[in-house]
Amino acid sequence: MKRTLSLLLLSALSLAAAQKVATPIAIGIAVAQTSNASLFGQEQVIGAKLAEKFLNARGGVGGTPIKLVFQDTSGDEAGAINAFQNLISKDNVVGIVGPTLSQQAFSADPIADRAKVPVIGPSNTAKGIPQIGAYISRVSAPVTAIAPNALKQALKINPKLKKVAVLYAQNDAFSTSETGIFQQTAKDLDLNIATVQKFQTTDNDFTTQVTAVLGENVDLVIISGLANDSGNLIKQLRQLGYKGLIVGGNGLNSSSMFPICGQYCDGVIVAQAYSPTQSSAANQLFAREYKAQYKKDPPQFAAQAYTGVQVFVDALKVLDRKKKIADWDLGELRVALNKQILIGKYKTPLGELSFDKDGDIVQQAFYVAQIKMKDAKNGTFVFLK
Ligand code: MET
C-alpha cells in the first residue's frame, strides 16, 4: 500500500517535472487592471495586446503563436502575489511581464525568482528591482536614469530657479526611491530645498502640504507619487495659488491623470523613457499601429509593456531555432529563456536595448515632455528639446 502510494507520488512528480510547454505559448501579464494603479495598468494592457497581435501576425515564435494570459494584480502586494502564483502554477506561463508598481514587485518578484520563472518589469523604476533575483529584469529605466532629466529641463526653462519644494508619497517604494534621486539631483544642481513634504498615495486632501509649500515662496515644486494623489496635489497647489514650475515624476506620466488635475496639469514637466518620434523601424511600426487604433500617440507605459512582450518573443525565437518550443520541458525552458533574455539585443519601440548583468535595461535615449491641456479633460505630452 505504502509502496503503491510512493510510486504514485513519484510518477506524479516526474509528470510534473516533464511538463511540456503548451501551444499557443502562454506569456503571463500581471498588471493592475483594477484599483488606482489601473490608471497605468490600462495602458500596459493595451501595449501588451498590441504586441500579441502584431507579433503573432508576423509568425509568432517560429510559426507557433503566443497567447497572453492576464491576471489582475490590483494595486497592492497581495494582489500581485496572487496573480504571480496563478500564472506560475495554474496557467503554466513561460514568463511574466509585470507587476505595475515597484511596491508590488518587491513582494511578488521573489516568488517568481524562487520558482525560476523569468519576470520582465514593464514599469518598475525603483532602485533595486533587478537585484531582487537572477530571474528579474526590467524594460523600465530606473529613476536614476530618468528623474535628473526633468530637473535639468526645468532649469533650462527657468535658469533662475533657486528655491524648491519636494513632495513625495512615503508609503510607496517607487516614490521614496524617486524622491531620493530628485533631492540628490537638486543639490547637485545647486538648488536649495526649502521644504520636504510627505503624503500617502491614498490621500485626497493636501491642504497641510500645500500650505507649507506656499509659506516658502519656492519657484519649483517636485512631486513623486502615483496618479490619483499627484493629480489632486497639483490641482490643490494651483487652486491655492502656487504659480511656479512643477516637475512630476513617473507617476504623472499618463494621460489617465488629466481628468484628475484637469486644466491645472498644464505645464507640468515629466521625464520620459519613450518618445513616439523615436526613429527606429520598430517604433515607427508600433506607433503607427497604436495611432491607427487609438487616434493618439502611444504613451510610455504602453510602449514599455509592448517591449516586455517583444523581448520574451525575441528570446523564445532564438531558443525555438535550437529545439521547437513545444518540445521543451517547461521548467527547463523557463531557465533557458531567462538566460537568453539577458544575453540578447532587441530592436524595440524604446530603441535598441539590452540588459546589464543584473537584468537592468541598457537604453540609449531619454526625453522630457511638458503637459499641454486642451480643455479640462484632454491634453498631450509635448516633447521638449
Ligand atoms: N514607476 C512606478 C513604479 O515603479 C510605476 C508606474 S508610475 C507610478 O512603481
Side-chain angles (χ1 to χ4, degrees):
M1 184 61 193
K2 223 169 151 190
R3 201 180 131 84
T4 330
L5 258 181
S6 49
L7 272 176
L8 267 175
L9 198 69
L10 259 178
S11 54
L13 275 175
S14 55
L15 258 183
Q19 187 172 24
K20 290 285 178 225
V21 179
T23 50
I25 303 163
I27 298 173
I29 308 291
V31 297
Q33 295 177 267
T34 55
S35 84
N36 273 344
S38 71
L39 293 174
F40 313 117
Q42 285 159 3
E43 293 182 348
Q44 299 180 303
V45 168
I46 289 173
K49 283 188 174 162
L50 265 181
E52 180 186 42
K53 187 175 144 212
F54 185 86
L55 298 167
N56 277 341
R58 279 153 190 81
V61 177
T64 306
I66 58 156
K67 181 181 181 304
L68 300 185
V69 184
F70 287 85
Q71 289 283 354
D72 177 16
T73 61
S74 190
D76 60 6
E77 293 89 331
I81 289 170
N82 192 39
F84 270 48
Q85 281 169 338
N86 280 331
L87 289 172
I88 293 166
S89 309
K90 196 165 89 13
D91 302 320
N92 295 318
V93 299
V94 298
I96 298 172
V97 175
T100 299
L101 303 179
S102 295
Q103 179 73 28
Q104 298 175 299
F106 285 116
S107 294
D109 285 1
I111 290 165
D113 190 59
R114 280 196 292 274
K116 298 190 164 59
V117 175
V119 173
I120 299 180
S123 53
N124 315 140
T125 57
K127 277 209 266 184
I129 294 286
Q131 290 77 16
I132 290 171
Y135 285 82
I136 314 302
S137 59
R138 65 173 156 197
V139 290
S140 42
V143 289
T144 42
I146 302 289
N149 303 326
L151 286 193
K152 286 174 193 156
Q153 186 68 48
L155 267 169
K156 231 167 139 180
I157 294 173
N158 180 3
K160 294 211 184 84
L161 286 181
K162 201 68 217 155
K163 227 177 157 190
V164 308
V166 176
L167 301 99
Y168 71 96
Q170 61 175 333
N171 62 332
D172 178 64
F174 144 73
S175 303
T176 53
S177 183
E178 190 188 60
T179 197
I181 302 303
F182 272 141
Q183 293 181 40
Q184 185 55 50
T185 309
K187 285 176 200 146
D188 294 347
L189 294 171
D190 265 342
L191 296 168
N192 163 20
I193 301 175
T195 178
V196 177
Q197 295 289 317
K198 299 172 193 170
F199 59 89
Q200 305 279 331
T201 51
T202 45
D203 285 350
N204 285 308
D205 180 353
F206 298 93
T207 317
T208 315
Q209 292 87 346
V210 172
T211 308
V213 170
L214 292 176
E216 294 290 347
N217 271 316
V218 299
D219 34 28
L220 174 66
V221 167
I222 306 168
I223 300 172
S224 294
L226 303 184
N228 200 58
D229 43 347
S230 302
N232 279 311
L233 170 54
I234 289 172
K235 182 172 163 184
Q236 290 168 34
L237 264 168
R238 292 298 191 207
Q239 283 175 333
L240 292 173
Y242 176 67
K243 297 226 163 21
L245 278 176
I246 299 176
V247 161
N250 203 209
L252 287 164
N253 198 359
S254 166
S255 58
S256 319
M257 198 227 7
F258 294 166
I260 301 167
C261 48
Q263 68 202 71
Y264 303 108
C265 305
D266 201 72
V268 174
I269 299 164
V270 186
Q272 309 280 328
Y274 168 75
S275 165
T277 60
Q278 207 276 339
S279 61
S280 68
N283 184 47
Q284 295 308 310
L285 282 171
F286 164 71
R288 198 189 312 144
E289 199 116 333
Y290 184 97
K291 249 183 151 161
Q293 210 165 325
Y294 298 98
K295 314 289 171 224
K296 58 176 186 186
D297 282 336
Q300 177 198 275
F301 291 118
Q304 288 174 323
Y306 180 105
T307 300
V309 175
Q310 190 199 323
V311 167
F312 269 121
V313 170
D314 284 355
L316 282 163
K317 282 185 191 164
V318 176
L319 299 178
D320 185 73
R321 288 198 283 271
K322 294 179 189 154
K323 177 164 112 186
K324 290 306 282 175
I325 296 298
D327 296 331
W328 282 79
D329 164 76
L330 178 61
E332 284 169 15
L333 177 70
R334 285 165 165 175
V335 172
L337 181 55
N338 190 58
K339 280 199 185 120
Q340 184 56 46
I341 287 169
L342 294 174
I343 60 173
K345 275 203 170 67
Y346 307 89
K347 292 187 167 142
T348 79
L350 306 179
E352 208 166 298
L353 67 87
S354 58
F355 297 96
D356 71 10
K357 63 171 188 1
D358 288 339
D360 216 346
I361 183 172
V362 178
Q363 183 179 343
Q364 311 307 321
F366 302 107
Y367 317 86
V368 181
Q370 193 166 25
I371 297 172
K372 181 88 200 128
M373 294 303 292
K374 278 200 221 71
D375 53 48
K377 284 211 172 91
N378 302 291
T380 48
F381 287 92
V382 178
F383 282 71
L384 303 171
K385 294 242 163 16

